[in-house]
Amino acid sequence: MDLKRLKKESVELQEPIEKCGVTASPIKEDLSHWKGYILGPDDTAYAGGKFEIDIVLTSSYPFEPPKMKFNTKIWHPNVSSQTGAICLDILKKEWSPALTIKTALISVQALLAAPEPDDPQDAVVAQEYKSSIEKFKATAKLWTERYAKEGSMESIQPLLDMGFSEEQAKDALLEARGDVQAAVEKLLSGA
Amino acid sequence: MSCNVDDSDEIFDDDDDDCSMEVCTKDSHHSGPSNMPESCYVKLTADDIVKEQRKLIQNVVELTKLPGHTARQLLQEMKWSFENVAVLYYDDQDKLFAKAGISVNGEAIDAVAVRGSSGSFVLDQQTITCQVCLEDFEREEAEKGMSTASGCGHVFCNACWVRHITTQVKEGQAARISCAGETFVEGKRRRCNIILDECFVEELLRGSGGSAEILKKYQTRLIDSYVNNNPTIKWCPATDCTNAIRVTDSFDPSSFDTSVECSDGHVWCFNCLDEPHAPAECSNVKEWRKKCQEDSATSNWLVAYTKDCPNCKVAINKDGGCNHM
Ligand SMILES: [Zn+2]
Ligand SMILES: [Zn+2]
Ligand SMILES: [Zn+2]
Ligand SMILES: [Zn+2]
Ligand SMILES: [Zn+2]
């Protein structure tokens, strides 16, 4: 592993995420394991979401591509809704050693804005994308709200305090359009 | 051709109940191997193949004035026939270039987008950064320690080139190792699709940081890609034999005897790579092999598929009648 290059990459990636929409930092001292974030592109179902990406580098990096997957659940034809595995050519045979963690993350972000349903990672999602784009967008948006917007719902805390799980609480709030009282009633009624 | 019988030789052995093919190997015999005139084929060693391949590339370079890596792509696309390249070159250049994915001025279509991207070798700069290791090089250092791929102009330090090529060879690449650079196509980043010229690769692998083992692997794979994509050349099927046979225009795949002999004396059918089997046809041998596998007691294929020529008592194909009368 080329430590000199990785240190430079690390410096370049320290910029705040708001600046170019992606960021990453090593979580292991040997620089082989990183955690990255990408912001959902505006005007997409992912807008407003912040997605965590798991990045593993082999000893041959950058001559071999970084291994990337979504840690945050996401509804997208080219990402497994189960495992977060990403189907993106530059992370496979189109990789070039002149690309970097940053450019790879930017490419993943671009994939969110332009799905490729004909080269799917998740057949179920791709099928929904092709057969009913409106339904797809609604699910993708729901998943973004549910999984990619941590802390965005301040009203969630009272529900958690009542002993409901984060997922239950989020879903109830989403359905109640943020009305805590309605959400509580919904949860208590067992709906 | 006469039908003289070589009476000292039995064509087949009835007692032989295993599946080996006991066939007369005397050239004098009309159903023996290598009866095919030698003008029908050329014996090649691995070295001959390298030379032949280079010569073809050189011919195309001279004809088209294209760089070597592009000529290689064209030949690969045209099944390594210089004639086919030449005919299409005079007939329809655009079609020829489109076939190999290159534009009319000889550059890969996708590579056009590369120009102006990072890393073009501009010598009026004081320093140049290798976009792979992100190391800065002074002008004089760069001239010695960096190299540029022809066709796209991407520049990297030699150490990075070697590591890139080594990784690709280890992954099984050779004829299509692409440049280490990146490009921007239809708004998407991807690797530069320029194929590295073989002289460029070999020079780097011979230099510091390259390994002789990788160089050897690379060269072997290049030859394989040539042979495997060239219908007129086949490796000798004998174990560990590195010879090959190239058939000429006068080779007739439907002729009576299609057996050839390599420089080390191995004799085999050019069509099916099996042992020589005239007068039986390749399909007969295949069937017989299958039958052998299913039923170990099957007798010699000659019994099943041939009868004796009434004239010369030599085995002939049951369908065809004697080919020599
Ligand atoms: Zn005869
Ligand atoms: Zn370098
Ligand atoms: Zn290039
Ligand atoms: Zn041989
Ligand atoms: Zn045959």
Side-chain angles (χ1 to χ4, degrees):
Chain A
M1 195 144 32
D2 190 336
L3 288 178
K4 206 163 178 179
R5 165 167 161 163
L6 283 175
K7 290 208 172 103
K8 286 189 183 177
E9 283 204 47
S10 162
V11 171
E12 189 195 32
L13 280 159
Q14 268 165 20
E15 290 176 341
I17 192 165
E18 290 71 27
K19 201 171 168 204
C20 56
V22 303
T23 183
S25 54
I27 53 175
K28 268 176 99 177
E29 250 176 66
D30 66 359
L31 303 184
S32 68
H33 198 172
W34 295 51
K35 195 187 267 183
Y37 291 97
I38 60 178
L39 294 180
D42 293 343
D43 305 321
T44 69
Y46 313 104
K50 185 180 176 187
F51 299 86
E52 186 183 306
I53 310 283
D54 183 72
I55 305 161
V56 174
L57 308 178
T58 69
S59 58
S60 300
Y61 179 84
F63 299 95
E64 277 176 10
K67 294 183 168 69
M68 292 192 175
K69 72 177 185 72
F70 276 82
N71 275 348
T72 307
K73 279 173 87 74
I74 182 168
W75 191 253
H76 186 285
N78 307 104
V79 182
S80 164
S81 57
Q82 305 293 316
T83 66
I86 306 166
C87 177
L88 178 62
D89 51 8
I90 68 144
L91 294 177
K92 288 169 188 143
K93 64 178 180 36
E94 292 294 333
W95 173 256
S96 142
L99 293 165
T100 61
I101 295 173
K102 184 175 175 177
T103 51
L105 284 172
I106 289 172
S107 297
V108 172
Q109 193 186 36
L111 183 67
L112 296 190
E116 290 179 22
D118 291 324
D119 186 20
Q121 173 76 40
D122 193 306
V124 177
V125 184
Q127 185 52 41
E128 190 182 87
Y129 183 92
K130 282 175 149 182
S131 61
S132 165
I133 188 81
E134 287 312 318
K135 199 173 160 217
F136 162 80
K137 277 184 185 162
T139 317
K141 215 170 167 179
L142 179 71
W143 279 44
T144 303
E145 296 291 338
R146 188 190 280 172
Y147 303 114
K149 288 189 178 175
E150 46 174 314
S152 65
M153 288 185 267
E154 286 151 23
S155 46
I156 196 171
Q157 199 53 47
L159 301 180
L160 296 180
D161 291 343
M162 290 170 78
F164 295 107
S165 75
E166 194 175 326
E167 199 164 305
Q168 283 176 313
K170 277 193 174 181
D171 280 357
L173 277 168
L174 280 172
E175 237 170 284
R177 295 177 192 277
D179 183 332
V180 181
Q181 198 53 45
V184 170
E185 274 165 28
K186 202 167 186 49
L187 283 165
L188 288 175
S189 71
Chain B
M1 201 176 286
S2 80
C3 281
N4 288 339
V5 187
D6 185 338
D7 46 26
S8 66
D9 274 291
E10 283 238 318
I11 284 301
F12 58 89
D13 181 359
D14 269 337
D15 305 328
D16 197 354
D17 57 7
D18 68 25
C19 287
S20 68
M21 280 196 282
E22 295 290 327
V23 183
C24 161
T25 53
K26 288 266 169 69
D27 278 359
S28 62
H29 203 283
H30 79 315
S31 68
S34 287
N35 201 39
M36 199 168 70
E38 293 226 347
S39 65
C40 289
Y41 67 93
V42 185
K43 299 176 182 186
L44 300 169
T45 63
D47 280 349
D48 295 334
I49 294 173
V50 175
K51 282 186 203 132
E52 219 177 61
Q53 194 181 17
R54 291 224 170 112
K55 179 111 188 47
L56 281 169
I57 293 172
Q58 195 50 42
N59 288 347
V60 171
V61 167
E62 275 163 23
L63 173 74
T64 61
K65 308 281 178 271
L66 291 168
H69 64 94
T70 313
R72 169 182 282 284
Q73 260 172 289
L74 274 180
L75 279 160
Q76 187 85 10
E77 196 59 41
M78 303 300 283
K79 303 260 179 242
W80 290 92
S81 157
F82 175 73
E83 285 70 30
N84 289 352
V85 173
V87 166
L88 202 54
Y89 179 76
Y90 290 119
D91 232 46
D92 192 346
Q93 285 197 18
D94 289 356
K95 195 175 160 197
L96 176 73
F97 293 145
K99 255 183 180 307
I102 47 181
S103 68
V104 186
N105 60 9
E107 295 205 0
I109 290 165
D110 288 350
V112 175
V114 166
R115 296 216 167 266
S117 155
S118 59
S120 46
F121 213 175
V122 185
L123 278 168
D124 53 10
Q125 279 171 224
Q126 272 309 311
T127 60
I128 178 164
T129 307
C130 170
Q131 291 301 325
V132 173
C133 61
L134 304 179
E135 208 79 60
D136 290 330
F137 287 77
E138 301 288 330
R139 265 178 69 175
E140 294 101 78
E141 283 179 299
E143 277 162 25
K144 273 180 281 158
M146 297 183 96
S147 302
T148 175
S150 67
C152 61
H154 280 131
V155 182
F156 302 103
C157 79
N158 292 347
C160 284
W161 275 119
V162 167
R163 288 182 65 194
H164 170 64
I165 292 163
T166 302
T167 310
Q168 295 295 307
V169 172
K170 279 185 181 161
E171 279 171 10
Q173 295 289 340
R176 304 193 67 83
I177 295 182
S178 55
C179 171
E182 57 154 324
T183 174
F184 218 67
V185 184
E186 291 161 8
K188 277 192 259 171
R189 284 172 192 276
R190 53 194 53 251
R191 66 172 168 74
C192 171
N193 77 335
I194 283 289
I195 305 295
L196 298 182
D197 186 81
E198 77 180 270
C199 297
F200 181 77
V201 172
E202 288 184 0
E203 211 172 288
L204 282 161
L205 287 178
R206 277 197 198 95
S208 58
S211 96
E213 185 203 339
I214 293 292
L215 178 63
K216 179 111 184 78
K217 235 184 207 162
Y218 171 73
Q219 288 168 328
T220 311
R221 292 239 178 79
L222 270 193
I223 299 176
D224 277 347
S225 74
Y226 172 62
V227 173
N228 297 340
N229 198 34
N230 188 331
T232 67
I233 302 184
K234 282 179 186 172
W235 290 118
C236 170
T239 321
D240 291 334
C241 184
T242 58
N243 296 316
I245 293 290
R246 180 161 52 77
V247 292
T248 63
D249 287 342
S250 34
F251 173 77
D252 174 10
S254 61
S255 78
F256 169 67
D257 186 354
T258 49
S259 58
V260 292
E261 183 177 346
C262 89
S263 309
D264 287 344
H266 305 124
V267 185
W268 41 282
C269 168
F270 189 82
N271 284 346
C272 69
L273 300 179
D274 213 313
E275 292 172 59
H277 52 68
E281 287 171 8
C282 298
S283 56
N284 297 150
V285 179
K286 224 175 120 195
E287 271 173 59
W288 176 77
R289 288 260 181 231
K290 212 176 127 209
K291 226 173 168 177
C292 262
Q293 267 178 350
E294 287 162 3
D295 172 18
S296 58
T298 308
S299 59
N300 198 293
W301 60 269
L302 279 170
V303 178
Y305 295 106
T306 66
K307 61 181 180 188
D308 288 353
C309 165
N311 217 18
C312 64
K313 306 293 179 222
V314 159
I316 56 168
N317 203 312
K318 270 180 180 168
D319 313 322
C322 179
N323 292 292
H324 306 277
M325 295 190 294

